Amino acid sequence: MSEQVLEVIKKRSSARAYSAEPLTDDELKKIITAGLEAPTGMNRRELHFSVVKGDNEILEELENDLRVSRGQEKQPKNFYYGAPVLIIISAEDDFKWSKVDSGIAVMSMSLAAESLGLGNLIIGCVYDVLNGDRKSYYNKAFDIPEDYSFQIALAIGHKTDNKTQHDYVWEDQVSVIDA
Ligand SMILES: Cc1cc2nc3c(=O)[nH]c(=O)nc-3n(C[C@H](O)[C@H](O)[C@H](O)COP(=O)(O)O)c2cc1C
């Protein structure tokens, strides 16, 4: 067994600049498949994946609502940094592992994208807008099933920036409990 997975984990970092080049159908299919293959608590498979092209007008509307909710002026970059595709994960409201499962699935898709040489960004900043006053409007627009809520999203594309991964301090975050 090679250490390819570890290399992909190490290489991944958030991409916040993209070219307009679209994903191929094969790339998109592989990434969505990685989400579907992610484990879920009790094998509930309660996640829904909404695939939205970056130039879809609904995303401009969402960007505007986000800007208004933050009391901001129009920003030079939108919340998904012009990525050609956004995958929205929603999950069942009343299942206790929905959030954990959504996080696992988005990370599986992120690593799948990275392994295909594609930049990607996990996006949670639209959570309050998508689950706020206009929730039913957006749920309908994104084909989110009834009694489901937005959890997390992944922007994917060909990155044009070259950020390195975040730093960490092992000692600050890890305790090894000796027998
Ligand atoms: C749950 C979650 C939500 C996030 N939401 C956003 C977001 O809305 N916008 C954004 O630019 N980055 C977002 N990020 C990316 C983090 O800022 C990023 O992962 C972190 O700064 C570490 O950098 P790295 O991914 O390059 O290692 C999110 C990451 C996670 C895990």
Side-chain angles (χ1 to χ4, degrees):
M1 179 73 185
S2 75
E3 297 197 349
Q4 273 177 339
V5 173
L6 297 180
E7 281 163 28
V8 171
I9 289 171
K10 193 164 273 302
K11 222 169 85 208
R12 183 215 60 83
S13 75
S14 295
R16 294 192 176 88
Y18 297 91
S19 73
E21 184 181 346
L23 272 63
T24 64
D25 289 346
D26 185 55
E27 287 168 335
L28 194 52
K29 194 168 174 200
K30 283 180 172 146
I31 294 166
I32 296 166
T33 302
L36 291 168
E37 286 178 343
T40 54
M42 302 160 73
N43 196 20
R44 179 92 152 201
R45 284 162 282 167
E46 80 286 11
L47 306 180
H48 184 81
F49 301 86
S50 305
V51 182
V52 191
K53 294 277 155 59
D55 57 2
N56 192 310
E57 281 176 10
I58 189 70
L59 294 180
E60 203 176 318
E61 195 172 338
L62 180 53
E63 168 70 18
N64 282 337
D65 279 350
L66 181 65
R67 188 172 50 74
V68 168
S69 76
R70 289 169 159 176
Q72 283 176 333
E73 297 296 309
K74 198 168 173 10
Q75 298 297 299
K77 288 184 168 182
N78 58 26
F79 73 90
Y80 56 101
Y81 297 87
V85 70
L86 187 70
I87 301 179
I88 290 174
I89 300 181
S90 56
E92 207 180 331
D93 291 328
D94 293 331
F95 182 53
K96 87 173 195 185
W97 298 118
S98 281
K99 289 193 186 305
V100 175
D101 291 345
S102 300
I104 291 169
V106 82
M107 192 65 204
S108 287
M109 293 196 300
S110 169
L111 293 178
E114 188 69 48
S115 74
L116 295 169
L118 293 164
N120 59 93
L121 176 68
I122 296 173
I123 297 175
C125 65
V126 288
Y127 185 95
D128 290 340
V129 171
L130 289 179
N131 288 317
D133 295 347
R134 305 191 72 204
K135 176 177 173 171
S136 45
Y137 172 80
Y138 280 118
N139 273 14
K140 197 158 177 233
F142 291 124
D143 200 29
I144 292 174
E146 210 169 309
D147 300 325
Y148 271 50
S149 298
F150 167 84
Q151 303 294 333
I152 198 77
L154 187 71
I156 311 155
H158 293 267
K159 65 177 172 184
T160 55
D161 64 356
N162 228 341
K163 187 185 138 320
T164 53
Q165 205 185 41
H166 64 276
D167 292 327
Y168 56 87
V169 178
W170 178 290
E171 291 74 20
D172 287 353
Q173 289 190 258
V174 181
S175 300
V176 179
I177 315 302
D178 289 324

